[in-house]
Amino acid sequence: MTKTKVAIIGSGNIGTDLMIKIMRLSKTLEMGAFVGIDPESDGLKRAARMGVPITAEGIEGLVAMPEFADIKIVFDATSAGAHHKHNAVLQAHGKRVVDLTPAAIGPYTIPPVNGLDHLDAPNVNMVTCGGQATIPMVHAVNRVAKVHYGEIVASISSKSAGPGTRANIDEFTETTSQAICRCGRRDARQGDHHPQPRRTAADHARYRLLPVRGRRPRGDCQIGGRHGRRSADLCARLSPQTGGAVRKHR
């Protein structure tokens, strides 16, 4: 069977991990190019050792590579800001784009929930890692009991959070919040995500869906959390409505 050639933009932890998984596990995908902007990055050096064509000249370098013509799908594992430029360039060349940043250009896609709905989308928005881990649970619970409010608490190791992740905390929060409402329960009015980076690898990933009793919060989807821009305002507005169920994280 002929495999589909793909490229990955972003030589950090996420891009490098995806490259290794494709090469070791995929029966349908084949690495065609690995793209970064730092020629000294560990990811690019590892890709070169594994025999993957590389470039350290970003999206322009990818387009200039002879392998680019055979690439059908491009995974973007950079940042929300960079993805807007990357998507514009790739769409002009007719490439299918899988967005692994919180840029949220394409439709929100959670495979267990709506994976078959966007097979023809030119840009597939994979939300965030926190969203992928928890929105299926929100969706499953909502099928048997009405979900009025969902809160995600995500903890990751600081060593696993690269500069792109740290620069996108607000986008990460907002994109996850919107996806809770649109994919977890489409008529839900409130979805909150509280990312809490840890300093050790012991609590690498910890996700919880917290039920909240009391009056249903008013207003559209909000964002919150210790690292969100509007966390204090959100807590102040929601606490009286939910009987104190929403509290600031210590």
Side-chain angles (χ1 to χ4, degrees), residues 55-223:
T55 177
E57 299 179 1
I59 186 68
E60 293 81 6
L62 172 62
V63 173
M65 295 177 72
E67 293 84 0
F68 184 67
D70 297 326
I71 290 171
K72 304 298 182 184
I73 301 173
V74 179
F75 295 88
D76 191 345
T78 57
S79 67
H83 181 68
H84 287 272
K85 175 185 176 181
H86 296 164
N87 181 66
V89 172
L90 295 168
Q91 296 301 326
H93 287 84
K95 306 297 183 181
R96 178 74 58 85
V97 180
V98 178
D99 179 13
L100 303 178
T101 81
I105 293 176
Y108 291 84
T109 303
I110 308 292
V113 176
N114 63 353
L116 299 179
D117 295 347
H118 309 302
L119 295 179
D120 296 326
N123 181 305
V124 178
N125 161 27
M126 299 304 293
V127 190
T128 61
C129 54
Q132 291 292 340
T134 57
I135 291 174
M137 291 187 285
V138 179
H139 177 75
V141 171
N142 188 64
R143 294 177 63 181
V144 296
K146 197 170 185 179
V147 174
H148 294 293
Y149 173 86
E151 178 179 336
I152 295 171
V153 179
S155 300
I156 64 172
S157 167
S158 290
K159 289 185 178 181
S160 71
T165 299
R166 295 174 185 274
N168 285 173
I169 289 296
D170 288 314
E171 291 85 353
F172 189 98
T173 302
E174 186 166 359
T175 295
T176 306
S177 172
Q178 294 297 323
I180 294 172
C181 297
R182 298 188 189 187
C183 302
R185 180 171 181 266
R186 296 186 179 183
D187 60 339
R189 304 295 293 174
Q190 187 68 39
D192 292 299
H193 176 241
H194 303 268
Q196 298 180 326
R198 300 290 181 180
R199 292 186 176 181
T200 68
D203 297 321
H204 177 72
R206 180 167 55 88
Y207 302 102
R208 292 182 294 168
L209 174 61
L210 305 179
V212 175
R213 297 181 179 180
R215 293 180 57 189
R216 176 174 173 171
R218 297 190 298 269
D220 202 351
C221 296
Q222 305 291 331
I223 65 172

Side-chain angles (χ1 to χ4, degrees), residues 223-236:
I223 65 172
R226 189 168 62 179
H227 298 279
R229 293 190 185 109
R230 296 181 282 268
S231 59
D233 177 60
L234 176 65
C235 290

